Amino acid sequence: MSSTPRPVGVLGGTFDPIHYGHLRPALEVLELLALAEVRFVPCRIPAHRETPSVTAEQRLELVRLATAGQPGFVADDRELRRPGPSYMVDTLSSLRQELGDGAPLCLIVGGDAFRELHTWRRWQELTDLAHLVVMQRPGASPALPPALEAFVAPRVAREAAALLQQPAGLVRFQAITQLAISATQIRQLLARGQSVRYLLPEAVLAHIHDRALYRPSVAPPVATS
Ligand code: ATP
């Protein structure tokens, strides 16, 4: 007798750089939803923001360092192998091809990214390919843009177990420990030469320093005459 495989989670992002605000909630989702794994998928070219200052390969390397040693965490380079802007609908399609039609797939997004979902390319197809897991702080349920609200309402899964019963199509609001850390804040601190210790894993920090990533901008030499 064959049983339904455990769901695979996908957390896409720029990861510029990856930090504990990504890692801790992802670990909670892995455990709470009994996922087989969480794939961290750094984008090659972000579709919704300006091009990062460090290369996609460097951001992927930071993701590799951050996820190494945590069972169930996987760094996935598929968006770097695809030309052009990175669209989640293409990423889910390629994963769906690998996993087959019956395996549950969960697209994991933060509450902020979720509120913008209706601006993503072919966003209404995302739930044909995967469930949607929205990571939000306990008790939070801010009003959604009307188009998104109408789309989501009939798909909400009140029980986590429902995600195991079908391969895609449900939306699960999952309470997690929200850490008020952003990559923007980390880049700003590094640009000012300030410490980012305890905001991201030590291995990521060491690599950022070794490779001189996100360095403070060098002041122009003072003219002497
Ligand atoms: P930036 O500050 O550069 O916009 P970011 O820190 O928000 O970056 P992203 O790579 O854009 O990081 O985020 C990837 C995914 O992780 C998105 O779904 C986002 O909503 C989610 N996420 C980012 N930071 C947090 C956080 N502190 N808590 C929960 N989810 C988060």
Side-chain angles (χ1 to χ4, degrees):
M1 197 183 82
S2 70
S3 59
T4 313
R6 282 155 67 202
V8 167
V10 181
L11 179 59
T14 314
F15 300 120
D16 185 28
I18 192 167
H19 53 70
Y20 284 136
H22 302 123
L23 292 160
R24 176 66 209 175
L27 181 57
E28 292 186 14
V29 169
L30 177 81
E31 293 189 334
L32 290 167
L33 301 184
L35 303 182
E37 58 188 26
V38 174
R39 288 175 173 256
F40 292 75
V41 188
C43 59
R44 193 174 89 85
I45 302 175
H48 298 278
R49 51 161 285 190
E50 77 281 9
T51 306
S53 66
V54 305
T55 66
E57 288 71 22
Q58 284 165 332
R59 290 183 285 110
L60 171 66
E61 183 57 21
L62 296 176
V63 169
R64 284 206 174 105
L65 290 166
T67 52
Q70 173 55 51
F73 276 9
V74 178
D76 186 317
D77 69 353
R78 76 188 55 230
E79 291 193 354
L80 273 60
R81 291 187 263 116
R82 228 173 38 223
S86 307
Y87 293 112
M88 184 49 74
V89 68
D90 299 329
T91 299
L92 293 181
S93 297
S94 97
L95 272 162
R96 177 51 75 202
Q97 275 184 2
E98 268 178 41
L99 297 173
D101 288 341
L105 186 57
C106 295
L107 170 60
I108 305 167
V109 291
D112 57 339
F114 173 65
R115 296 180 58 75
E116 306 286 319
L117 196 81
H118 58 300
T119 67
W120 291 17
R121 185 167 193 253
R122 292 162 49 201
W123 67 276
Q124 283 155 317
E125 291 172 39
L126 296 170
T127 50
D128 296 338
L129 295 160
H131 299 304
L132 204 56
V133 174
V134 184
M135 305 186 288
Q136 60 180 26
R137 66 179 82 233
S141 53
L144 295 174
L148 194 52
E149 176 65 44
F151 182 81
V152 161
R155 295 176 167 80
V156 171
R158 308 237 168 261
E159 305 295 331
L163 304 187
L164 297 167
Q165 311 300 319
Q166 58 188 78
L170 300 175
V171 179
R172 168 82 184 156
F173 291 93
Q174 185 61 56
I176 46 83
T177 305
Q178 179 103 27
L179 303 172
I181 303 171
S182 74
T184 303
Q185 171 202 17
I186 290 172
R187 292 193 303 274
Q188 286 170 350
L189 289 169
L190 288 166
R192 286 189 225 123
Q194 291 179 288
S195 176
V196 295
R197 199 157 188 212
Y198 310 129
L199 297 175
L200 35 68
E202 284 290 322
V204 174
L205 183 58
H207 192 81
I208 286 174
H209 286 312
D210 284 353
R211 302 297 158 99
L213 306 180
Y214 310 104
R215 281 179 83 104
S217 34
V218 181
V222 178
T224 51
S225 57

